[in-house]
Amino acid sequence: MINHALSLWGVDVHIAFMDMARLVYRNPVSEMLLLTAVGIQIGTGLRLFAHKRNAVHGIFEKMHLWTGLYLAMFFLIHVGAVLTGRYMLNLDTNFYFGAAGLNLFPLNVFFIPYYGLAIVSFFGHISAIHSLKMKHQLFGLSVQQQSQLIVATGIVVNLVVLYGLTNGFTGIEIPKEYNFMGEH
C-alpha cells in the first residue's frame, strides 16, 4: 500500500520504489516465504470462516470474519494474476499492470471496487482484531473508538491509493502491452 500511495507523486516514483522493494521481496527465498505465508493465511482464514461463520456475535467479530474471507479471495485472485502476468504473459507486473484494470473501461467497473474493498478489508480486519484483543484506552480513546479510527484510516488510504493509481480519477495512459481490452 505504501508503494501504491507513492503513485500520488507519479508513475516514476512508484516504479522506482517498487524496483528497490523488489530487491527484497523478489529474492527467491523471500518470495517463497512470502507466498507460503500468504497461502497459510488463506488456508487458515478459510478454515476459520467455515468453523466460525455461525458462531460470531457483535459487529467486530462479524467484521473480522467477513473481511478475512474477502482478503482470502482477494489474495487468491491477486497472487494468481501477478504470477500469470509474470510467467505466462511475460509482463513486468509493475505500476501499469495494476493500474490497467483501474483505468480501462469496462475493467475498472470490477477493479475499482475490488481493490477498494481489499484495502478497506485489510484495515477492517486489523480493526476487528484490535477490538477483540485490546482492553485499555489509548490516547484517551476507548477500544471501540480506536477500532473505528483504524477503519477510518483504511478509508482514507483507500482513497489516496485509488486517486494515485488513476491520476486523480482522470485516468492514466496505459501502454498497449497492458491493454487487454484494446481500447483506452
Side-chain angles (χ1 to χ4, degrees):
M1 281 186 258
I2 292 169
N3 192 183
H4 291 324
L6 289 174
S7 63
L8 286 172
W9 288 272
V11 174
D12 293 338
V13 172
H14 183 284
I15 290 175
F17 181 86
M18 180 178 275
D19 287 342
M20 286 187 324
R22 282 178 173 176
L23 295 174
V24 175
Y25 73 79
R26 284 236 179 132
N27 169 295
V29 173
S30 297
E31 191 166 43
M32 261 339 276
L33 290 171
L34 183 60
L35 289 172
T36 300
V38 169
I40 289 169
Q41 286 290 114
I42 291 168
T44 57
L46 292 174
R47 189 177 48 116
L48 282 170
F49 180 84
H51 291 298
K52 291 189 172 198
R53 70 178 179 266
N54 295 320
V56 293
H57 305 289
I59 187 74
F60 288 108
E61 282 188 53
K62 290 177 182 176
M63 186 166 59
H64 183 236
L65 189 72
W66 289 102
T67 58
L69 179 65
Y70 188 83
L71 288 170
M73 296 298 108
F74 173 82
F75 281 127
L76 280 171
I77 295 167
H78 186 70
V79 171
V82 169
L83 294 175
T84 298
R86 275 173 59 189
Y87 296 113
M88 296 177 76
L89 302 174
N90 297 312
L91 289 172
D92 182 359
T93 53
N94 62 16
F95 174 88
Y96 293 111
F97 184 77
L102 296 169
N103 288 280
L104 300 173
F105 182 81
L107 296 174
N108 57 1
V109 174
F110 170 78
F111 280 106
I112 289 174
Y114 165 76
Y115 278 117
L117 284 172
I119 294 169
V120 172
S121 289
F122 174 78
F123 281 90
H125 204 65
I126 291 170
S127 169
I129 294 167
H130 180 83
S131 75
L132 298 170
K133 301 290 182 187
M134 289 295 290
K135 304 294 181 213
H136 305 290
Q137 283 193 355
L138 186 63
F139 304 114
L141 298 174
S142 70
V143 172
Q144 183 173 358
Q145 290 170 322
Q146 295 167 41
S147 295
Q148 292 168 343
L149 184 60
I150 293 168
V151 171
T153 300
I155 292 168
V156 170
V157 168
N158 176 47
L159 293 173
V160 166
V161 167
L162 291 177
Y163 188 85
L165 292 174
T166 59
N167 196 28
F169 302 112
T170 60
I172 290 175
E173 190 66 34
I174 303 298
K176 62 183 167 188
E177 63 266 25
Y178 296 94
N179 188 344
F180 299 108
M181 299 303 289
E183 59 186 81
H184 182 70

